[in-house]
Amino acid sequence: MQLNPIQLFDTESSTFTYILNAPGSKQAVIIDPVDRHWERDLRHLERLGLELAYVLETHAHADHVTSAGKLRELTGAQAAVPSGCGIAPAELQLNDGDIIRFGTGEEILVLHTPGHTAGSMSYVWRGNVFTGDTLLIDGCGRTDFQSGSSDALYDSVTGKLFTLPDDTRMWPGHDYKGQSVSTIGWEKQHNVRLAKRSREDFVKLMAELNLPKPKLIDVAVPANQNLGL
């Protein structure tokens, strides 16, 4: 049965945070929490009578600081992170194909989807995929820093994410246009950067973006490699 996550938003960094929980279980998982919202996130868990089992990161973010370390300290949850992102303090270093189990038979499939960063991960759960900055609604993450690679991102999206069922709901790590959820089928047909585009065209497009350096990158990345502490 497909379930929707709780989707929360940080307006400053346009970052989505997700809480995953299934009926009949008190355990929950949070994906990509933001430092300034740890109290908000704990209030949601308390209101719903949930206990946090895992804090998941899709990558070491460059535009905000995570609250993973804070939440871990306060709840006893384990931090689970991509093994290729240099986040040494986390209890679980995730690799492609790993399964995260929580609650009563709940499973999250780990997909290594590099490109935005070399270690970036996506997470598949009950007909949903949480893509971090790899695949955005009608877009994708930049590939010009943190060991990014346009070739790798193209492979991650076309070879892994676009092979998921078309009705898989796609929940991005960011949105800048007031959108909240898409589907893999829609992105395959309409994503302006990736739909029906050749590898060569995509690599050329990404090379010509000339995006400004993220304002917080020099602070955020080292902090996030220490779980925000």
PDB file of all heavy atoms in Angstrom, residues 103-138:
ATOM      1  N   GLY A 103       9.934   0.010  12.379  1.00  0.00           N
ATOM      2  CA  GLY A 103       8.521  -0.264  12.625  1.00  0.00           C
ATOM      3  C   GLY A 103       8.206  -1.738  12.518  1.00  0.00           C
ATOM      4  O   GLY A 103       9.015  -2.607  12.836  1.00  0.00           O
ATOM      5  N   THR A 104       7.011  -2.016  12.011  1.00  0.00           N
ATOM      6  CA  THR A 104       6.534  -3.387  11.849  1.00  0.00           C
ATOM      7  C   THR A 104       6.650  -3.793  10.390  1.00  0.00           C
ATOM      8  O   THR A 104       5.725  -3.612   9.593  1.00  0.00           O
ATOM      9  CB  THR A 104       5.074  -3.512  12.323  1.00  0.00           C
ATOM     10  OG1 THR A 104       4.973  -3.001  13.652  1.00  0.00           O
ATOM     11  CG2 THR A 104       4.627  -4.970  12.309  1.00  0.00           C
ATOM     12  N   GLY A 105       7.817  -4.267  10.013  1.00  0.00           N
ATOM     13  CA  GLY A 105       8.020  -4.736   8.649  1.00  0.00           C
ATOM     14  C   GLY A 105       8.232  -3.664   7.606  1.00  0.00           C
ATOM     15  O   GLY A 105       8.160  -3.947   6.402  1.00  0.00           O
ATOM     16  N   GLU A 106       8.515  -2.421   8.026  1.00  0.00           N
ATOM     17  CA  GLU A 106       8.759  -1.351   7.058  1.00  0.00           C
ATOM     18  C   GLU A 106      10.182  -1.428   6.525  1.00  0.00           C
ATOM     19  O   GLU A 106      11.125  -1.663   7.278  1.00  0.00           O
ATOM     20  CB  GLU A 106       8.515   0.015   7.691  1.00  0.00           C
ATOM     21  CG  GLU A 106       7.080   0.259   8.103  1.00  0.00           C
ATOM     22  CD  GLU A 106       6.123   0.140   6.932  1.00  0.00           C
ATOM     23  OE1 GLU A 106       6.367   0.769   5.888  1.00  0.00           O
ATOM     24  OE2 GLU A 106       5.130  -0.595   7.071  1.00  0.00           O
ATOM     25  N   GLU A 107      10.341  -1.232   5.212  1.00  0.00           N
ATOM     26  CA  GLU A 107      11.650  -1.305   4.575  1.00  0.00           C
ATOM     27  C   GLU A 107      11.873  -0.108   3.652  1.00  0.00           C
ATOM     28  O   GLU A 107      10.985   0.267   2.883  1.00  0.00           O
ATOM     29  CB  GLU A 107      11.788  -2.594   3.763  1.00  0.00           C
ATOM     30  CG  GLU A 107      11.751  -3.862   4.598  1.00  0.00           C
ATOM     31  CD  GLU A 107      12.027  -5.112   3.791  1.00  0.00           C
ATOM     32  OE1 GLU A 107      11.975  -5.030   2.537  1.00  0.00           O
ATOM     33  OE2 GLU A 107      12.293  -6.158   4.396  1.00  0.00           O
ATOM     34  N   ILE A 108      13.051   0.453   3.743  1.00  0.00           N
ATOM     35  CA  ILE A 108      13.475   1.536   2.851  1.00  0.00           C
ATOM     36  C   ILE A 108      14.644   1.017   2.027  1.00  0.00           C
ATOM     37  O   ILE A 108      15.661   0.580   2.589  1.00  0.00           O
ATOM     38  CB  ILE A 108      13.902   2.786   3.637  1.00  0.00           C
ATOM     39  CG1 ILE A 108      12.741   3.324   4.481  1.00  0.00           C
ATOM     40  CG2 ILE A 108      14.426   3.865   2.692  1.00  0.00           C
ATOM     41  CD1 ILE A 108      13.160   4.400   5.459  1.00  0.00           C
ATOM     42  N   LEU A 109      14.516   1.056   0.711  1.00  0.00           N
ATOM     43  CA  LEU A 109      15.590   0.639  -0.186  1.00  0.00           C
ATOM     44  C   LEU A 109      16.505   1.819  -0.472  1.00  0.00           C
ATOM     45  O   LEU A 109      16.040   2.911  -0.813  1.00  0.00           O
ATOM     46  CB  LEU A 109      15.008   0.103  -1.495  1.00  0.00           C
ATOM     47  CG  LEU A 109      16.004  -0.200  -2.624  1.00  0.00           C
ATOM     48  CD1 LEU A 109      16.962  -1.318  -2.226  1.00  0.00           C
ATOM     49  CD2 LEU A 109      15.260  -0.540  -3.912  1.00  0.00           C
ATOM     50  N   VAL A 110      17.800   1.585  -0.331  1.00  0.00           N
ATOM     51  CA  VAL A 110      18.812   2.619  -0.564  1.00  0.00           C
ATOM     52  C   VAL A 110      19.323   2.519  -1.992  1.00  0.00           C
ATOM     53  O   VAL A 110      19.770   1.453  -2.428  1.00  0.00           O
ATOM     54  CB  VAL A 110      19.980   2.450   0.431  1.00  0.00           C
ATOM     55  CG1 VAL A 110      21.072   3.479   0.152  1.00  0.00           C
ATOM     56  CG2 VAL A 110      19.485   2.562   1.870  1.00  0.00           C
ATOM     57  N   LEU A 111      19.258   3.627  -2.730  1.00  0.00           N
ATOM     58  CA  LEU A 111      19.798   3.689  -4.090  1.00  0.00           C
ATOM     59  C   LEU A 111      20.923   4.713  -4.137  1.00  0.00           C
ATOM     60  O   LEU A 111      20.711   5.883  -3.785  1.00  0.00           O
ATOM     61  CB  LEU A 111      18.707   4.097  -5.092  1.00  0.00           C
ATOM     62  CG  LEU A 111      17.519   3.167  -5.286  1.00  0.00           C
ATOM     63  CD1 LEU A 111      16.576   3.759  -6.339  1.00  0.00           C
ATOM     64  CD2 LEU A 111      17.974   1.769  -5.709  1.00  0.00           C
ATOM     65  N   HIS A 112      22.102   4.299  -4.553  1.00  0.00           N
ATOM     66  CA  HIS A 112      23.200   5.245  -4.757  1.00  0.00           C
ATOM     67  C   HIS A 112      22.944   5.982  -6.062  1.00  0.00           C
ATOM     68  O   HIS A 112      22.907   5.369  -7.140  1.00  0.00           O
ATOM     69  CB  HIS A 112      24.530   4.494  -4.814  1.00  0.00           C
ATOM     70  CG  HIS A 112      25.711   5.390  -4.954  1.00  0.00           C
ATOM     71  ND1 HIS A 112      26.851   5.021  -5.628  1.00  0.00           N
ATOM     72  CD2 HIS A 112      25.936   6.653  -4.505  1.00  0.00           C
ATOM     73  CE1 HIS A 112      27.728   6.006  -5.578  1.00  0.00           C
ATOM     74  NE2 HIS A 112      27.196   7.013  -4.914  1.00  0.00           N
ATOM     75  N   THR A 113      22.726   7.289  -5.966  1.00  0.00           N
ATOM     76  CA  THR A 113      22.402   8.094  -7.157  1.00  0.00           C
ATOM     77  C   THR A 113      23.351   9.288  -7.241  1.00  0.00           C
ATOM     78  O   THR A 113      22.957  10.433  -7.051  1.00  0.00           O
ATOM     79  CB  THR A 113      20.936   8.563  -7.120  1.00  0.00           C
ATOM     80  OG1 THR A 113      20.648   9.169  -5.837  1.00  0.00           O
ATOM     81  CG2 THR A 113      19.989   7.391  -7.330  1.00  0.00           C
ATOM     82  N   PRO A 114      24.629   9.037  -7.539  1.00  0.00           N
ATOM     83  CA  PRO A 114      25.615  10.115  -7.584  1.00  0.00           C
ATOM     84  C   PRO A 114      25.375  11.056  -8.756  1.00  0.00           C
ATOM     85  O   PRO A 114      24.675  10.742  -9.706  1.00  0.00           O
ATOM     86  CB  PRO A 114      26.937   9.359  -7.749  1.00  0.00           C
ATOM     87  CG  PRO A 114      26.554   8.096  -8.460  1.00  0.00           C
ATOM     88  CD  PRO A 114      25.209   7.734  -7.897  1.00  0.00           C
ATOM     89  N   GLY A 115      26.010  12.220  -8.644  1.00  0.00           N
ATOM     90  CA  GLY A 115      25.919  13.218  -9.703  1.00  0.00           C
ATOM     91  C   GLY A 115      25.907  14.604  -9.104  1.00  0.00           C
ATOM     92  O   GLY A 115      26.753  15.443  -9.413  1.00  0.00           O
ATOM     93  N   HIS A 116      24.921  14.872  -8.243  1.00  0.00           N
ATOM     94  CA  HIS A 116      24.942  16.145  -7.511  1.00  0.00           C
ATOM     95  C   HIS A 116      26.151  16.166  -6.587  1.00  0.00           C
ATOM     96  O   HIS A 116      26.898  17.144  -6.537  1.00  0.00           O
ATOM     97  CB  HIS A 116      23.640  16.303  -6.731  1.00  0.00           C
ATOM     98  CG  HIS A 116      23.616  17.523  -5.854  1.00  0.00           C
ATOM     99  ND1 HIS A 116      23.703  18.801  -6.364  1.00  0.00           N
ATOM    100  CD2 HIS A 116      23.522  17.660  -4.501  1.00  0.00           C
ATOM    101  CE1 HIS A 116      23.661  19.676  -5.360  1.00  0.00           C
ATOM    102  NE2 HIS A 116      23.562  19.000  -4.226  1.00  0.00           N
ATOM    103  N   THR A 117      26.322  15.099  -5.826  1.00  0.00           N
ATOM    104  CA  THR A 117      27.582  14.819  -5.139  1.00  0.00           C
ATOM    105  C   THR A 117      27.929  13.363  -5.426  1.00  0.00           C
ATOM    106  O   THR A 117      27.072  12.576  -5.840  1.00  0.00           O
ATOM    107  CB  THR A 117      27.484  15.027  -3.608  1.00  0.00           C
ATOM    108  OG1 THR A 117      26.696  13.972  -3.036  1.00  0.00           O
ATOM    109  CG2 THR A 117      26.860  16.367  -3.267  1.00  0.00           C
ATOM    110  N   ALA A 118      29.170  12.998  -5.159  1.00  0.00           N
ATOM    111  CA  ALA A 118      29.603  11.634  -5.466  1.00  0.00           C
ATOM    112  C   ALA A 118      28.890  10.595  -4.609  1.00  0.00           C
ATOM    113  O   ALA A 118      28.728   9.446  -5.022  1.00  0.00           O
ATOM    114  CB  ALA A 118      31.114  11.516  -5.282  1.00  0.00           C
ATOM    115  N   GLY A 119      28.454  10.988  -3.412  1.00  0.00           N
ATOM    116  CA  GLY A 119      27.851  10.016  -2.513  1.00  0.00           C
ATOM    117  C   GLY A 119      26.337  10.030  -2.459  1.00  0.00           C
ATOM    118  O   GLY A 119      25.749   9.247  -1.712  1.00  0.00           O
ATOM    119  N   SER A 120      25.691  10.905  -3.198  1.00  0.00           N
ATOM    120  CA  SER A 120      24.248  11.123  -3.062  1.00  0.00           C
ATOM    121  C   SER A 120      23.437   9.829  -3.118  1.00  0.00           C
ATOM    122  O   SER A 120      23.705   8.942  -3.930  1.00  0.00           O
ATOM    123  CB  SER A 120      23.744  12.058  -4.162  1.00  0.00           C
ATOM    124  OG  SER A 120      24.234  13.375  -3.980  1.00  0.00           O
ATOM    125  N   MET A 121      22.424   9.756  -2.244  1.00  0.00           N
ATOM    126  CA  MET A 121      21.530   8.609  -2.180  1.00  0.00           C
ATOM    127  C   MET A 121      20.078   9.043  -2.381  1.00  0.00           C
ATOM    128  O   MET A 121      19.692  10.167  -2.046  1.00  0.00           O
ATOM    129  CB  MET A 121      21.625   7.925  -0.809  1.00  0.00           C
ATOM    130  CG  MET A 121      22.964   7.300  -0.485  1.00  0.00           C
ATOM    131  SD  MET A 121      23.289   5.821  -1.469  1.00  0.00           S
ATOM    132  CE  MET A 121      24.673   5.115  -0.572  1.00  0.00           C
ATOM    133  N   SER A 122      19.274   8.108  -2.899  1.00  0.00           N
ATOM    134  CA  SER A 122      17.822   8.244  -2.921  1.00  0.00           C
ATOM    135  C   SER A 122      17.247   7.079  -2.123  1.00  0.00           C
ATOM    136  O   SER A 122      17.888   6.029  -1.982  1.00  0.00           O
ATOM    137  CB  SER A 122      17.283   8.227  -4.356  1.00  0.00           C
ATOM    138  OG  SER A 122      17.777   9.319  -5.108  1.00  0.00           O
ATOM    139  N   TYR A 123      16.028   7.277  -1.607  1.00  0.00           N
ATOM    140  CA  TYR A 123      15.412   6.271  -0.739  1.00  0.00           C
ATOM    141  C   TYR A 123      14.016   5.916  -1.245  1.00  0.00           C
ATOM    142  O   TYR A 123      13.199   6.807  -1.494  1.00  0.00           O
ATOM    143  CB  TYR A 123      15.332   6.804   0.692  1.00  0.00           C
ATOM    144  CG  TYR A 123      16.683   7.159   1.270  1.00  0.00           C
ATOM    145  CD1 TYR A 123      17.034   8.481   1.535  1.00  0.00           C
ATOM    146  CD2 TYR A 123      17.628   6.170   1.524  1.00  0.00           C
ATOM    147  CE1 TYR A 123      18.279   8.813   2.051  1.00  0.00           C
ATOM    148  CE2 TYR A 123      18.880   6.489   2.039  1.00  0.00           C
ATOM    149  CZ  TYR A 123      19.200   7.816   2.306  1.00  0.00           C
ATOM    150  OH  TYR A 123      20.442   8.128   2.808  1.00  0.00           O
ATOM    151  N   VAL A 124      13.754   4.625  -1.392  1.00  0.00           N
ATOM    152  CA  VAL A 124      12.479   4.135  -1.923  1.00  0.00           C
ATOM    153  C   VAL A 124      11.694   3.477  -0.787  1.00  0.00           C
ATOM    154  O   VAL A 124      12.215   2.592  -0.093  1.00  0.00           O
ATOM    155  CB  VAL A 124      12.705   3.120  -3.063  1.00  0.00           C
ATOM    156  CG1 VAL A 124      11.362   2.644  -3.618  1.00  0.00           C
ATOM    157  CG2 VAL A 124      13.551   3.736  -4.171  1.00  0.00           C
ATOM    158  N   TRP A 125      10.432   3.908  -0.627  1.00  0.00           N
ATOM    159  CA  TRP A 125       9.590   3.383   0.460  1.00  0.00           C
ATOM    160  C   TRP A 125       8.122   3.415   0.039  1.00  0.00           C
ATOM    161  O   TRP A 125       7.600   4.460  -0.290  1.00  0.00           O
ATOM    162  CB  TRP A 125       9.783   4.216   1.722  1.00  0.00           C
ATOM    163  CG  TRP A 125       8.863   3.902   2.867  1.00  0.00           C
ATOM    164  CD1 TRP A 125       8.893   2.806   3.667  1.00  0.00           C
ATOM    165  CD2 TRP A 125       7.774   4.712   3.348  1.00  0.00           C
ATOM    166  NE1 TRP A 125       7.902   2.869   4.625  1.00  0.00           N
ATOM    167  CE2 TRP A 125       7.198   4.033   4.450  1.00  0.00           C
ATOM    168  CE3 TRP A 125       7.236   5.944   2.962  1.00  0.00           C
ATOM    169  CZ2 TRP A 125       6.107   4.538   5.161  1.00  0.00           C
ATOM    170  CZ3 TRP A 125       6.154   6.449   3.668  1.00  0.00           C
ATOM    171  CH2 TRP A 125       5.608   5.748   4.744  1.00  0.00           C
ATOM    172  N   ARG A 126       7.503   2.260  -0.024  1.00  0.00           N
ATOM    173  CA  ARG A 126       6.060   2.134  -0.251  1.00  0.00           C
ATOM    174  C   ARG A 126       5.538   2.976  -1.417  1.00  0.00           C
ATOM    175  O   ARG A 126       4.608   3.772  -1.274  1.00  0.00           O
ATOM    176  CB  ARG A 126       5.294   2.520   1.016  1.00  0.00           C
ATOM    177  CG  ARG A 126       5.264   1.404   2.078  1.00  0.00           C
ATOM    178  CD  ARG A 126       4.365   1.821   3.203  1.00  0.00           C
ATOM    179  NE  ARG A 126       4.175   0.794   4.209  1.00  0.00           N
ATOM    180  CZ  ARG A 126       3.041   0.112   4.367  1.00  0.00           C
ATOM    181  NH1 ARG A 126       2.020   0.325   3.582  1.00  0.00           N
ATOM    182  NH2 ARG A 126       2.937  -0.771   5.349  1.00  0.00           N
ATOM    183  N   GLY A 127       6.139   2.826  -2.566  1.00  0.00           N
ATOM    184  CA  GLY A 127       5.680   3.548  -3.748  1.00  0.00           C
ATOM    185  C   GLY A 127       6.106   4.994  -3.808  1.00  0.00           C
ATOM    186  O   GLY A 127       5.609   5.767  -4.638  1.00  0.00           O
ATOM    187  N   ASN A 128       7.042   5.376  -2.954  1.00  0.00           N
ATOM    188  CA  ASN A 128       7.588   6.736  -2.929  1.00  0.00           C
ATOM    189  C   ASN A 128       9.101   6.678  -3.109  1.00  0.00           C
ATOM    190  O   ASN A 128       9.746   5.723  -2.665  1.00  0.00           O
ATOM    191  CB  ASN A 128       7.295   7.415  -1.583  1.00  0.00           C
ATOM    192  CG  ASN A 128       5.821   7.458  -1.242  1.00  0.00           C
ATOM    193  OD1 ASN A 128       5.058   8.214  -1.816  1.00  0.00           O
ATOM    194  ND2 ASN A 128       5.406   6.620  -0.283  1.00  0.00           N
ATOM    195  N   VAL A 129       9.662   7.705  -3.732  1.00  0.00           N
ATOM    196  CA  VAL A 129      11.115   7.822  -3.785  1.00  0.00           C
ATOM    197  C   VAL A 129      11.497   9.240  -3.358  1.00  0.00           C
ATOM    198  O   VAL A 129      10.908  10.227  -3.813  1.00  0.00           O
ATOM    199  CB  VAL A 129      11.685   7.480  -5.182  1.00  0.00           C
ATOM    200  CG1 VAL A 129      11.135   8.398  -6.271  1.00  0.00           C
ATOM    201  CG2 VAL A 129      13.214   7.517  -5.156  1.00  0.00           C
ATOM    202  N   PHE A 130      12.473   9.317  -2.468  1.00  0.00           N
ATOM    203  CA  PHE A 130      12.972  10.577  -1.937  1.00  0.00           C
ATOM    204  C   PHE A 130      14.328  10.818  -2.583  1.00  0.00           C
ATOM    205  O   PHE A 130      15.292  10.093  -2.312  1.00  0.00           O
ATOM    206  CB  PHE A 130      13.051  10.503  -0.415  1.00  0.00           C
ATOM    207  CG  PHE A 130      11.733  10.142   0.217  1.00  0.00           C
ATOM    208  CD1 PHE A 130      11.380   8.807   0.396  1.00  0.00           C
ATOM    209  CD2 PHE A 130      10.828  11.126   0.565  1.00  0.00           C
ATOM    210  CE1 PHE A 130      10.147   8.460   0.939  1.00  0.00           C
ATOM    211  CE2 PHE A 130       9.586  10.792   1.107  1.00  0.00           C
ATOM    212  CZ  PHE A 130       9.245   9.466   1.294  1.00  0.00           C
ATOM    213  N   THR A 131      14.383  11.813  -3.457  1.00  0.00           N
ATOM    214  CA  THR A 131      15.510  11.933  -4.382  1.00  0.00           C
ATOM    215  C   THR A 131      16.562  12.950  -3.968  1.00  0.00           C
ATOM    216  O   THR A 131      17.542  13.126  -4.695  1.00  0.00           O
ATOM    217  CB  THR A 131      14.982  12.289  -5.780  1.00  0.00           C
ATOM    218  OG1 THR A 131      14.182  13.477  -5.699  1.00  0.00           O
ATOM    219  CG2 THR A 131      14.154  11.152  -6.355  1.00  0.00           C
ATOM    220  N   GLY A 132      16.381  13.612  -2.833  1.00  0.00           N
ATOM    221  CA  GLY A 132      17.366  14.610  -2.438  1.00  0.00           C
ATOM    222  C   GLY A 132      17.525  15.665  -3.520  1.00  0.00           C
ATOM    223  O   GLY A 132      16.546  16.185  -4.055  1.00  0.00           O
ATOM    224  N   ASP A 133      18.776  15.957  -3.876  1.00  0.00           N
ATOM    225  CA  ASP A 133      19.049  16.934  -4.939  1.00  0.00           C
ATOM    226  C   ASP A 133      19.360  16.269  -6.270  1.00  0.00           C
ATOM    227  O   ASP A 133      19.707  16.946  -7.230  1.00  0.00           O
ATOM    228  CB  ASP A 133      20.227  17.830  -4.543  1.00  0.00           C
ATOM    229  CG  ASP A 133      19.868  18.806  -3.446  1.00  0.00           C
ATOM    230  OD1 ASP A 133      18.847  18.592  -2.774  1.00  0.00           O
ATOM    231  OD2 ASP A 133      20.620  19.771  -3.251  1.00  0.00           O
ATOM    232  N   THR A 134      19.257  14.949  -6.346  1.00  0.00           N
ATOM    233  CA  THR A 134      19.557  14.268  -7.609  1.00  0.00           C
ATOM    234  C   THR A 134      18.518  14.616  -8.659  1.00  0.00           C
ATOM    235  O   THR A 134      18.848  15.071  -9.764  1.00  0.00           O
ATOM    236  CB  THR A 134      19.605  12.745  -7.399  1.00  0.00           C
ATOM    237  OG1 THR A 134      20.630  12.439  -6.449  1.00  0.00           O
ATOM    238  CG2 THR A 134      19.908  12.025  -8.705  1.00  0.00           C
ATOM    239  N   LEU A 135      17.251  14.405  -8.331  1.00  0.00           N
ATOM    240  CA  LEU A 135      16.155  14.707  -9.247  1.00  0.00           C
ATOM    241  C   LEU A 135      15.189  15.636  -8.546  1.00  0.00           C
ATOM    242  O   LEU A 135      14.702  15.330  -7.452  1.00  0.00           O
ATOM    243  CB  LEU A 135      15.436  13.418  -9.664  1.00  0.00           C
ATOM    244  CG  LEU A 135      14.269  13.566 -10.645  1.00  0.00           C
ATOM    245  CD1 LEU A 135      14.752  14.139 -11.980  1.00  0.00           C
ATOM    246  CD2 LEU A 135      13.580  12.223 -10.853  1.00  0.00           C
ATOM    247  N   LEU A 136      14.929  16.793  -9.149  1.00  0.00           N
ATOM    248  CA  LEU A 136      13.969  17.754  -8.635  1.00  0.00           C
ATOM    249  C   LEU A 136      12.749  17.779  -9.547  1.00  0.00           C
ATOM    250  O   LEU A 136      12.774  17.225 -10.641  1.00  0.00           O
ATOM    251  CB  LEU A 136      14.602  19.148  -8.553  1.00  0.00           C
ATOM    252  CG  LEU A 136      15.902  19.240  -7.749  1.00  0.00           C
ATOM    253  CD1 LEU A 136      16.454  20.664  -7.798  1.00  0.00           C
ATOM    254  CD2 LEU A 136      15.692  18.802  -6.304  1.00  0.00           C
ATOM    255  N   ILE A 137      11.686  18.414  -9.103  1.00  0.00           N
ATOM    256  CA  ILE A 137      10.503  18.526  -9.948  1.00  0.00           C
ATOM    257  C   ILE A 137      10.836  19.449 -11.122  1.00  0.00           C
ATOM    258  O   ILE A 137      11.169  20.621 -10.933  1.00  0.00           O
ATOM    259  CB  ILE A 137       9.301  19.060  -9.152  1.00  0.00           C
ATOM    260  CG1 ILE A 137       8.944  18.085  -8.022  1.00  0.00           C
ATOM    261  CG2 ILE A 137       8.095  19.260 -10.073  1.00  0.00           C
ATOM    262  CD1 ILE A 137       7.851  18.593  -7.095  1.00  0.00           C
ATOM    263  N   ASP A 138      10.803  18.890 -12.327  1.00  0.00           N
ATOM    264  CA  ASP A 138      11.132  19.637 -13.540  1.00  0.00           C
ATOM    265  C   ASP A 138      12.557  20.192 -13.506  1.00  0.00           C
ATOM    266  O   ASP A 138      12.821  21.274 -14.021  1.00  0.00           O
ATOM    267  CB  ASP A 138      10.124  20.766 -13.776  1.00  0.00           C
ATOM    268  CG  ASP A 138      10.079  21.203 -15.226  1.00  0.00           C
ATOM    269  OD1 ASP A 138      10.444  20.398 -16.107  1.00  0.00           O
ATOM    270  OD2 ASP A 138       9.681  22.359 -15.497  1.00  0.00           O
TER     271      ASP A 138
END
